[in-house]
Amino acid sequence: MSLNAGVIAVQGDVSEHADAIRQAATDRGETAEITEIRQSGIVPDCDLLCMPGGESTAISRLIQSEGIAPEIQAHVEAGKPVLATCAGLIVAAEDAGDDRVENLGLLDVTVERNAFGRQKDSFEVPLSVTGLGEPFPSVFIRAPLISGVGDADVLAEWDGRPVAVQNGSVLGTSFHPELTPDSRIHGLAFFGE
Ligand code: GLN
């Protein structure tokens, strides 16, 4: 049976996540049917969810106005997996210190937007990630800093700062795992080790 995978698609990079989810599923002998989510009523049928990067203020505003936000929270309360990357992590966090972002509180972390500099300061670095073998090529683009970690597990650090965290079924990364051909972070988030 095919997995029903939802990618929040109100704004941000969607197709790269869809490809990575399909690849991660294939690697486990599964198939995934991808649905792009722009309105309410779809999340409840999803087995797994991805919250992509983009602009967290826009993503937050649209998932609230479309009624998608409470559905994502119910998805997590049901113990189903979520991968939240970059702007997705900002929205999923407990607090982003920005009134324009209504945080969903899916991850017990505080974040600081754009703390790694501007677009031109983007960089890629191989990182050790708990649960993965070889280092993961991690792309940072106007990435958030995870400034405080409450009851969450830190899976990866860069320069002594957490950049991948997990709370139960929710995994968040400051970086963009969908921007390399390596789908192991998606595999870890959706299928476990
Ligand atoms: N800087 C963006 C924000 O604050 C996130 C950047 C990204 O997702 N690449 O929302």
Side-chain angles (χ1 to χ4, degrees):
M1 212 177 70
S2 191
L3 288 164
N4 209 347
V7 181
I8 303 297
V10 291
Q11 197 265 337
D13 56 338
V14 173
S15 63
E16 294 88 348
H17 276 293
D19 291 343
I21 294 167
R22 282 193 204 95
Q23 184 59 51
T26 302
D27 289 347
R28 316 270 163 154
E30 308 254 7
T31 54
E33 186 77 34
I34 314 288
T35 306
E36 297 189 3
I37 296 164
R38 296 190 181 82
Q39 71 225 24
S40 61
I42 302 169
V43 170
D45 290 328
C46 289
D47 300 308
L48 54 94
L49 276 184
C50 191
M51 297 175 64
E55 200 56 43
S56 53
T57 51
I59 294 170
S60 178
R61 181 166 41 81
L62 291 165
I63 62 172
Q64 292 294 343
S65 64
E66 293 301 320
I68 300 167
E71 296 181 342
I72 299 173
Q73 286 165 317
H75 174 96
V76 172
E77 276 157 29
K80 296 193 232 174
V82 173
L83 173 61
T85 64
C86 205
L89 162 68
I90 296 170
V91 176
E94 193 64 38
D95 186 14
D98 188 324
D99 289 347
R100 293 167 298 172
V101 178
E102 197 161 322
N103 292 103
L104 299 184
L106 309 179
L107 286 162
D108 192 7
V109 296
T110 55
V111 296
E112 215 177 287
R113 298 180 61 212
N114 302 325
F116 287 95
R118 307 165 66 143
Q119 192 87 14
K120 66 175 175 45
D121 303 314
S122 300
F123 61 97
E124 178 176 333
V125 66
L127 292 177
S128 296
V129 179
T130 304
L132 303 183
E134 295 294 305
F136 188 87
S138 308
V139 179
F140 290 76
I141 305 169
R142 296 176 60 224
L145 172 70
I146 300 173
S147 47
V149 177
D151 186 20
D153 297 322
V154 175
L155 302 186
E157 293 187 343
W158 182 75
D159 204 18
R161 299 180 283 195
V163 291
V165 288
Q166 189 164 31
N167 256 141
S169 66
V170 184
L171 198 158
T173 64
S174 295
F175 53 89
H176 286 266
E178 77 286 7
L179 293 184
T180 58
D182 192 329
S183 61
R184 287 178 298 152
I185 294 274
H186 291 74
L188 187 62
F190 297 135
F191 302 103
E193 284 177 58

